[in-house]
Amino acid sequence: MEEFLKFDGVTKQFGHLKAVDDVTLTINRGEIFSILGPSGCGKTTLLRMLAGFEAPDTGRILLAGEDITDQAPNVRKINTVFQTYALFPHMTVRENIAFGLKLRKLPKATIDQEVDKMLAMIQMEAHADKKPAQLSGGQKQRSAIARALVLKPSVLLLDEPLAALDLKLRQRMSLELSLIHDEVGITFVYVTHDQNEAMSISDHIAVMQNGKIEQVGTPAEIYEAPKSSFVAAFIGDTNFFDGTITCVLDSEYCEVEVPDLSKKLICFNDKKLVQGDSVHLSIRPEKFSISLDRPAENPRQNVLPAKVEDIVYQGDHTRYWVSIAEDWRVAVTRQHNRFLLDQRRITWGDQVFISWQADDSFMLEQYREKDEDLLQMPPQNVGEEVPGAAVTAPEPSDTSVAPADGQATGQEEASQQ
Amino acid sequence: MKPSTPLRQRMLGEFAITLPSMIWLCIYFVLPTLIIFAIAFRSKGAYGGIGDTWTLNTLAELRNPDYPAIIWRTIWMSVICTLATLAISVPVAYHIARVSQWKRDILLLLTIIPFWTNLLIRIFAWRLVLHPQGMLRNLLISLHLIDPSTVFLGNPIAVLVVMIYTELPFAILPIYAAAEKFDFTLFEAAMDLGAGRLYAFFHVFLPGIREGLMSACLMIFIPLIGSYVIPDLVGGKDSQMIGNVIVRLALEQRNLPAAAAMSTVMFLIMSLPLLYYLKYTTAQHAKEVAK
């Protein structure tokens, strides 16, 4: 992959607020690159600077080696799909798509031909002569994409393109976007607050927080090896454990003492920490196994007794909320890859065991006081409650009732101790 | 089952709400207008009143050789004034819609405040400004910007300037209302697609505030057609408008039927843009219903 688009030490300040704080970022040619973060993290400002609507205070933006920092938006070979689509209401779909081509003073026959091609690609031939007000959300979305793509930009910017659509349409459009990307093969820069969207369509994701890039990586890297507790919490669900290393077992593993837990935990020590260091562990709900019987002893496995507090059945999996200490609940996910009707099922109030491999916990940077805010920060999806113990950026498909709020902050309190 | 009942109820409700203002309009607008129409076809009373026979002679009296020129002047002055007022108001309204909230409040206040002063007083203020011994003329002459023979007062230009000044708020406010609702992302979208600022202004912004422009046009064009105070006070012989003719017919010549006939002519001129507007809005409405 070739370096194509580059932010080089870009900073943008609005009053006292540093919307974008010294961002350096490289985007490859032809990939779908997502900028992911909660609202107000600076991702939209970054995109607007790329489009040319804002000028960075310091730093440069390079496109294929050329410095475009001071180029006006109408000169850049970059086009934008706006969050609200911004289709011209007084023009038909066809006129909207032709808008940019007309400005290039192309012959009418060429324009018609290009517009027809686009209409065919987005399957909107039947609606070509409608005004935007007569279109559905998905049709507006597709028209906006066609209007930008018809100019054959080097980079297509998409600003929360699916945010205004309902769930089913969002899933379909996200698939359609991937197909369109495969067809045109240009670089997409995709801004979103929805981790699922970002995970499902991106080649690379940059997670942003407070104007800074927290981590850049493939979706799998970001999910499996988050660099900070913010990333761990924002991407998917996770449980945090805080403790102190009491013993380094060998080069790879260590024992961690966690206050309130009856047992020391054994963890993979990828940060090569030493005895006495405090650590912040993240364990994803699906890494836990849950069982009624105590699992067989294994030196590389942690087992904790727990009590089932809540069960959320989701068809393909079940989410359990189990307490492992006073006021400390963790989320455990169990896939239903095998379902036996006569098996005694785990139910409310059961005493169970949760177990996980030492390799399944992930060490994060030391837990800091200020993280408390972002751990409690509700993800951006509306209508979703944040289940307590695990910090959850909920899946939009989550239709179940989240556990009661009253118990919500249990784990964070515990992890502070 | 009557599926139409809710709709019928709603229409009845709307009718009930509209009724008082309809009655008001009938008594104080429709009826007087019809009376004026009727007077136009009455004979002239000997001592300035209205006679008691029907006649078509009044129409013949309108065949004054001066009138076509005055009617024509009324139309072109109103059209020019409307266009000039719009040309000033659109950038102003655009600016007001784009600045921060507190600046916006101040600018709107500044637009409205002149309303609080009586129109006549404002016109007299303009007389002072444009007066042959006025500060403006003396200043411009001393700066050698104008020829000492230039007169400001008593010509169509003076009338136009004062008319534009009086009509500005009536244009700025509706255009601002439309500009405020305008989605300025569209501007960015146009730029993003390669448009310059001017192109975006004419091809995206102006069509976007079309409704505001239309109502501003009506709001100023109709009173302009009927204006008589401004031509009377700052205009001269060559800037008389229909309004002045009507005043002269009614008050000086005491010829009420002729004044009524002239008013009817003015009413017909005014109703042309109104009819167009009505046709336009019903077409828009029909389109929306068709969706």
Side-chain angles (χ1 to χ4, degrees):
Chain A
M1 284 270 204
E2 164 194 359
E3 272 191 17
F4 187 52
L5 191 58
K6 195 166 178 326
F7 286 94
D8 187 7
V10 169
T11 298
K12 176 77 187 178
Q13 197 154 348
F14 294 110
H16 293 296
L17 180 78
K18 264 193 179 164
V20 171
D21 190 359
D22 192 22
V23 165
T24 296
L25 197 61
T26 305
I27 296 168
N28 297 322
R29 187 191 287 275
E31 71 174 340
I32 299 187
F33 189 96
S34 292
I35 302 170
L36 174 65
S39 61
C41 73
K43 56 190 193 302
T44 299
T45 310
L46 205 59
L47 194 80
R48 289 175 59 81
M49 288 196 282
L50 201 47
F53 301 134
E54 309 279 358
D57 296 334
T58 57
R60 296 184 309 157
I61 302 169
L62 302 166
L63 177 64
E66 187 196 352
D67 189 338
I68 59 163
T69 319
D70 300 320
Q71 259 182 23
N74 49 3
V75 189
R76 294 187 190 201
K77 280 186 71 72
I78 294 177
N79 290 115
T80 310
V81 176
F82 292 85
Q83 183 173 3
T84 49
Y85 317 131
L87 293 169
F88 304 122
H90 58 288
M91 298 182 194
T92 62
V93 172
R94 171 178 292 281
E95 287 164 345
N96 263 286
I97 299 176
F99 187 89
L101 295 172
K102 267 191 199 153
L103 277 161
R104 294 192 178 172
K105 306 226 158 49
L106 296 176
K108 195 174 177 312
T110 319
I111 294 179
D112 286 344
Q113 200 184 339
E114 290 292 318
V115 173
D116 283 337
K117 249 199 281 180
M118 274 296 146
L119 285 169
M121 189 181 87
I122 58 167
Q123 294 166 15
M124 290 270 293
E125 294 104 323
H127 309 288
D129 295 318
K130 287 188 183 166
K131 296 270 177 73
Q134 297 161 278
L135 300 177
S136 70
Q139 289 167 341
K140 281 186 208 167
Q141 169 67 263
R142 291 205 292 265
S143 309
I145 293 171
R147 186 179 68 174
L149 281 177
V150 77
L151 298 174
K152 301 200 169 64
S154 312
V155 182
L156 183 72
L157 309 182
L158 300 113
D159 184 9
E160 304 260 5
L162 308 182
L165 304 177
D166 62 50
L167 173 65
K168 275 269 175 281
L169 203 53
R170 202 151 62 207
Q171 289 167 340
R172 220 187 70 208
M173 279 309 299
S174 124
L175 196 68
E176 243 173 79
L177 269 177
S178 305
L179 291 176
I180 290 174
H181 178 257
D182 291 347
E183 196 169 325
V184 296
I186 62 167
T187 312
F188 279 26
V189 178
Y190 191 104
V191 157
T192 181
H193 64 257
D194 185 324
Q195 42 126 352
N196 289 297
E197 252 172 66
M199 299 280 269
S200 58
I201 73 163
S202 317
D203 296 307
H204 284 95
I205 298 175
V207 183
M208 266 187 100
Q209 160 74 353
N210 294 332
K212 286 195 154 83
I213 304 283
E214 291 268 329
Q215 185 172 3
V216 182
T218 62
E221 281 167 6
I222 299 240
Y223 186 80
E224 297 292 348
K227 277 191 184 150
S228 65
S229 37
F230 172 78
V231 176
F234 194 73
I235 314 291
D237 306 345
T238 197
N239 302 289
F240 289 129
F241 291 77
D242 280 315
T244 317
I245 295 181
T246 51
C247 169
V248 178
L249 293 179
D250 50 49
S251 60
E252 299 200 310
Y253 295 94
C254 61
E255 269 187 357
V256 174
E257 186 178 343
V258 178
D260 283 350
L261 287 190
S262 52
K263 283 179 66 177
K264 289 179 182 169
L265 305 180
I266 177 161
C267 311
F268 181 58
N269 184 8
D270 72 320
K271 300 268 197 299
K272 303 282 177 251
L273 300 179
V274 296
Q275 191 171 342
D277 281 352
S278 50
V279 291
H280 185 47
L281 298 173
S282 153
I283 307 175
R284 301 274 185 200
E286 73 276 10
K287 306 291 188 200
F288 290 118
S289 296
I290 184 167
S291 58
L292 286 163
D293 307 317
R294 177 178 279 277
E297 281 297 327
N298 178 335
R300 292 281 176 264
Q301 180 175 266
N302 295 294
V303 179
L304 285 178
K307 184 166 172 249
V308 177
E309 300 264 343
D310 218 331
I311 302 177
V312 180
Y313 179 72
Q314 305 241 287
D316 61 329
H317 70 272
T318 299
R319 169 67 55 92
Y320 298 93
W321 298 89
V322 301
S323 59
I324 52 174
E326 185 89 358
D327 279 338
W328 187 355
R329 310 199 317 168
V330 295
V332 175
T333 305
R334 184 193 203 184
Q335 291 296 323
H336 298 160
N337 39 11
R338 199 178 50 184
F339 185 78
L340 301 171
L341 267 180
D342 53 351
Q343 192 181 36
R344 155 109 161 73
R345 259 181 280 171
I346 297 169
T347 181
W348 282 267
D350 273 353
Q351 286 297 332
V352 292
F353 294 94
I354 58 168
S355 56
W356 69 97
Q357 299 299 316
D359 297 313
D360 285 338
S361 60
F362 193 82
M363 270 183 194
L364 298 165
E365 89 289 1
Q366 181 43 46
Y367 182 62
R368 293 164 309 219
E369 274 300 310
K370 75 176 178 70
D371 290 349
E372 191 66 10
D373 296 336
L374 55 99
L375 290 178
Q376 283 173 345
M377 175 199 64
Q380 303 308 307
N381 301 38
V382 273
E384 284 286 342
E385 285 183 53
V386 187
V391 180
T392 310
E395 298 143 281
S397 57
D398 234 320
T399 47
S400 60
V401 183
D405 258 352
Q407 294 146 319
T409 51
Q411 190 258 337
E412 275 110 17
E413 283 162 20
S415 50
Q416 264 185 314
Q417 290 165 6
Chain B
M1 204 173 102
K2 283 191 211 155
S4 63
T5 307
L7 183 71
R8 277 185 54 191
Q9 268 177 2
R10 214 178 65 205
M11 286 176 66
L12 260 175
E14 277 177 14
F15 183 72
I17 290 171
T18 332
L19 198 62
S21 44
M22 289 290 270
I23 293 173
W24 178 274
L25 276 177
C26 276
I27 295 176
Y28 292 104
F29 173 67
V30 178
L31 214 59
T33 309
L34 290 177
I35 291 174
I36 286 180
F37 280 5
I39 293 174
F41 296 98
R42 296 296 279 191
S43 60
K44 195 167 66 169
Y47 301 101
I50 301 160
D52 40 17
T53 51
W54 294 99
T55 175
L56 285 173
N57 286 348
T58 329
L59 292 181
E61 274 181 50
L62 288 187
R63 290 220 309 262
N64 185 318
D66 293 342
Y67 289 174
I70 291 177
I71 291 174
W72 174 236
R73 182 189 303 134
T74 306
I75 293 174
W76 74 252
M77 294 237 304
S78 303
V79 168
I80 285 183
C81 179
T82 305
L83 293 180
T85 310
L86 288 182
I88 298 170
S89 305
V90 169
V92 172
Y94 172 85
H95 180 73
I96 297 179
R98 298 230 67 176
V99 295
S100 61
Q101 188 62 50
W102 70 271
K103 277 189 195 163
R104 196 182 286 193
D105 292 343
I106 289 175
L107 289 173
L108 283 176
L109 201 66
L110 287 177
T111 313
I112 297 166
I113 277 178
F115 270 139
W116 298 345
T117 314
N118 184 289
L119 175 67
L120 275 177
I121 293 174
R122 282 181 285 146
I123 298 173
F124 274 108
W126 270 104
R127 277 177 68 103
L128 290 181
V129 173
L130 301 174
H131 195 270
Q133 298 304 319
M135 208 169 72
L136 181 67
R137 184 166 171 272
N138 288 342
L139 182 76
L140 290 177
I141 289 176
S142 66
L143 291 174
H144 299 287
L145 286 173
I146 53 166
D147 193 79
S149 63
T150 316
V151 229
F152 284 158
L153 218 48
N155 56 39
I157 305 286
V159 176
L160 275 180
V161 167
V162 179
M163 286 203 303
I164 291 169
Y165 158 79
T166 2
E167 299 302 334
L168 268 178
F170 296 100
I172 291 175
L173 292 180
I175 296 175
Y176 161 74
E180 197 218 358
K181 275 184 253 153
F182 181 77
D183 175 10
F184 281 98
T185 323
L186 295 179
F187 229 91
E188 289 186 345
M191 306 258 295
D192 191 68
L193 295 168
R197 283 184 181 280
L198 267 183
Y199 188 93
F201 185 86
F202 283 105
H203 289 82
V204 176
F205 181 67
L206 285 190
I209 57 160
R210 197 173 36 189
E211 311 266 296
L213 288 174
M214 292 289 277
S215 49
C217 260
L218 282 184
M219 291 265 278
I220 58 183
F221 184 75
I222 288 173
L224 280 176
I225 287 281
S227 55
Y228 78 94
V229 181
I230 297 170
D232 205 38
L233 292 181
V234 298
K237 260 204 154 32
D238 58 349
S239 36
Q240 295 291 294
M241 294 172 70
I242 299 183
N244 306 101
V245 173
I246 294 171
V247 171
R248 206 163 53 233
L249 286 173
L251 299 182
E252 289 170 25
Q253 302 185 8
R254 310 281 285 158
N255 188 346
L256 287 183
M262 204 60 180
S263 302
T264 309
V265 170
M266 197 173 80
F267 183 87
L268 291 178
I269 296 174
M270 277 183 195
S271 50
L272 286 179
L274 262 181
L275 281 177
Y276 174 76
Y277 182 74
L278 219 64
K279 216 180 112 189
Y280 172 81
T281 45
T282 40
Q284 289 288 93
H285 187 69
K287 248 193 238 166
E288 247 150 63
V289 170
K291 278 175 213 165

